[in-house]
Amino acid sequence: MAFQGKKLINDPNDVVTEYIEGLVETYPGLQYLDGFPEVKIVLRADISSASYDKVAVICGGGSGHEPAHSGFVGDGMLTAAVCGDVFASPPVDSILSGIRAVTGSKGCLLIVTNYTGDRLNFGLATEQAKSEGYNIETVIVGDDCALPPQRGLPGRRGLAGTILVNKVAGAAAAAGLSLADVAAEAKHASELVGTMGVALSVCTRPGQVTSDRLGPGKMELGLGIHGEPGAAVVDLQPVDAVLSHILKQILSKETNYVPISSGNRVVLMVNGLGSTPIMELMIAAGKAVTKLQLEHGLAVERVYTGSFMTSLDMAGFSVSIMRADQAILQRLDAQTMAPCWPIGVSGKLAPTKIPVPVPAHTTKSDEALTRPKELSVEGHILEAAIEAAAKAVIDLKDTLNELDGKVGDGDCGSTMFRGATTILEDMRSYYPLNDAAETINEIGASVRRVMGGTSGIIYDIFCKAAYANLKESSQPVTSQKWPDALEASIAAVSKYGGARAGYRTLLDALIPASAVLQERLNAGDDPCTAFLLSSEAALSGADSTQHMQAQAGRSTYVSVDILASVPDPGAMAAAAWYRAAALAVESKYKGL
Ligand SMILES: Nc1ncnc2c1ncn2[C@@H]1O[C@H](COP(=O)(O)OP(=O)(O)OP(=O)(O)O)[C@@H](O)[C@H]1O
């Protein structure tokens, strides 16, 4: 059964006008012509055609590509944007209204994306405006590099490269150039830019059913931005491979779409198509820069990453590359009030990375620590306990993530895994295992370096408190000292984290364990037996969290019903490492 695509809208017919209303409320520098629903023009709020003494620059086309083009209206970029209905060119009368609203004595440049509807509507509007006495020039942008040449009448499509053309033209106009010169710069810019995209999903028009054209595990290369099929459907690949393909295609000498060759200076635009996370766009941007530099010998002067010309809610991105000499860079760097042009992308690039500052005073951890050549008996036991504990956590990664997926954010296993693997590595290379207190301190340092998350800081506090306790006396750490250290750690975690017994946290495994440990030692059990018995208390304590209401951590946001279906992942992890350590210590003692 087909369902309408989910959208947070009202009537699908009103999406463009309601978008414009929200846009001008958001950006006080913008206003719109009061001609809804036919006339949908966004224009600068600070000018009027009667007194405007610069060339007006107008771009427009079907809606559904926001922020293009209305988000690029502002001093230094577009003077007005003409909005059509979703994916439909605006009609002639609407375009004419825009021209009349902003064109002063210096005339108007229309920047038109190369689609039949846009060419015809903007073309006819141009003729009509000229007959009314307006001075008008038109530049058509067709930057698509996905399709082979000679595709019949329509030619190459206008894609995100149009935004760069808009910026060049807008800056030229703001600099006071004549219409002929502004048009010449815009035309030149349009000939220097090439674009190609990749899509992971098909966009959904408001009020319509989402197409299932693109199956799972597939992506489209060389897509259009109106839901039309891409040039090729291929298996999903890592973004590195996708970028290599796209960059080769844009810079192909065979099609010769853009006059860019090794040694040229270029700017890069990575344009999200509507529902691509910023994280993925930035990954693409970083990789594209490296590839352009190393594989194509190009100097990347500026990088624009974000959503500039979208296709409703399509997942994917397009890449545009524009050759950029000093004159183009000057136009791209020029100041603009257009709200959606990325600020801060101008001038010379700073080095991409600088060293992490180191603390002025070195701590013990910074000194050259080494693993002892010979391990003492206690060192061997400590090593076995740490190794078993870490491995138990590593083995539980998926289970913990699954539990945390139900009551938290699904990363508890991964966070603990990071800590455990690092502890194992660091232990092998430098933990001073013959000194238990210093080893616990180093475990804390490993945890602090890599874990993050709530459990990361909790275990950091835990280790610090244990270290301080074990260091209180200068005597070597004996088995009698561990229970006090555990108690001190629990007290510190409780003090800083605010949780107590019954709050459904890892303390619900450790508090009963600590209590049983003290109890058994007071009753005269040998430390090994006491440790083992206390680990059983840890396990049952962890299990009991299933019946607890959460009073700490992310689980507090989760309903009682869901909480009742699983135990707390942090408590399960704590019980697992504690139990594994106890078993390892027991087996070491038996072997002595
Ligand atoms: N205040 C607290 N005191 C002690 N333990 C806590 C506290 N809050 C949460 N926890 C424990 O931390 C575990 C979750 O650890 P995890 O690292 O997955 O945290 P998180 O909430 O996902 O945090 P982040 O978003 O920072 O990753 C919980 O299962 C619980 O046992």
Side-chain angles (χ1 to χ4, degrees), residues 404 409 411-412 415 453-455 458 493 497 499 505-506 552-554 568-571:
D404 197 31
D409 57 355
D411 67 354
C412 186
T415 307
T454 301
S455 37
I458 296 278
V493 168
T505 71
L506 50 86
R554 272 187 214 280
D568 173 61

Side-chain angles (χ1 to χ4, degrees), residues 230-250:
V233 176
V234 297
D235 288 340
L236 197 61
Q237 290 161 35
V239 71
D240 265 345
V242 174
L243 281 167
S244 288
H245 177 82
I246 287 179
L247 297 181
K248 259 192 213 137
Q249 190 91 1
I250 296 174

Side-chain angles (χ1 to χ4, degrees), residues 223-307:
L223 56 117
I225 50 170
H226 303 94
E228 65 267 41
V233 176
V234 297
D235 288 340
L236 197 61
Q237 290 161 35
V239 71
D240 265 345
V242 174
L243 281 167
S244 288
H245 177 82
I246 287 179
L247 297 181
K248 259 192 213 137
Q249 190 91 1
I250 296 174
L251 299 168
S252 158
K253 285 289 158 233
E254 225 167 281
T255 54
N256 209 20
Y257 280 145
V258 280
I260 297 177
S261 45
S262 182
N264 283 162
R265 303 162 78 188
V266 297
V267 299
L268 166 72
M269 175 173 271
V270 176
N271 167 53
L273 291 168
S275 55
T276 312
I278 296 285
M279 180 187 273
E280 291 174 32
L281 295 180
M282 290 299 173
I283 291 172
K287 299 294 177 192
V289 170
T290 311
K291 284 175 189 295
L292 286 169
Q293 287 168 341
L294 300 184
E295 293 171 20
H296 298 275
L298 299 170
V300 183
E301 298 283 355
R302 306 284 184 275
V303 180
Y304 307 97
T305 306
S307 288

Side-chain angles (χ1 to χ4, degrees), residues 126-299:
T126 305
E127 294 312 315
Q128 177 67 29
K130 280 181 178 166
S131 73
E132 292 177 19
Y134 287 103
N135 200 5
I136 310 269
E137 289 284 347
T138 303
V139 168
I140 311 275
V141 185
D143 52 324
D144 182 16
C145 293
L147 302 171
Q150 277 108 40
R151 295 286 297 184
L153 213 49
R156 295 166 62 201
R157 298 171 288 200
L159 300 173
T162 312
I163 307 301
L164 296 172
V165 177
N166 288 346
K167 180 68 177 65
V168 170
L177 268 58
S178 69
L179 177 58
D181 288 342
V182 174
E185 284 205 24
K187 183 162 187 310
H188 178 58
S190 75
E191 289 161 354
L192 299 179
V193 63
T195 298
M196 180 169 163
V198 55
L200 306 182
S201 69
V202 184
C203 62
T204 308
R205 289 169 183 241
Q208 294 194 10
V209 170
T210 310
S211 160
D212 57 2
R213 186 176 80 220
L214 205 52
K218 297 283 178 192
M219 61 184 184
E220 263 178 357
L221 285 166
L223 56 117
I225 50 170
H226 303 94
E228 65 267 41
V233 176
V234 297
D235 288 340
L236 197 61
Q237 290 161 35
V239 71
D240 265 345
V242 174
L243 281 167
S244 288
H245 177 82
I246 287 179
L247 297 181
K248 259 192 213 137
Q249 190 91 1
I250 296 174
L251 299 168
S252 158
K253 285 289 158 233
E254 225 167 281
T255 54
N256 209 20
Y257 280 145
V258 280
I260 297 177
S261 45
S262 182
N264 283 162
R265 303 162 78 188
V266 297
V267 299
L268 166 72
M269 175 173 271
V270 176
N271 167 53
L273 291 168
S275 55
T276 312
I278 296 285
M279 180 187 273
E280 291 174 32
L281 295 180
M282 290 299 173
I283 291 172
K287 299 294 177 192
V289 170
T290 311
K291 284 175 189 295
L292 286 169
Q293 287 168 341
L294 300 184
E295 293 171 20
H296 298 275
L298 299 170

Side-chain angles (χ1 to χ4, degrees), residues 353-370:
K353 49 186 170 189
I354 57 167
V356 177
V358 287
H361 303 291
T362 55
T363 64
K364 182 97 177 128
S365 305
D366 301 317
E367 288 169 12
L369 285 161
T370 46

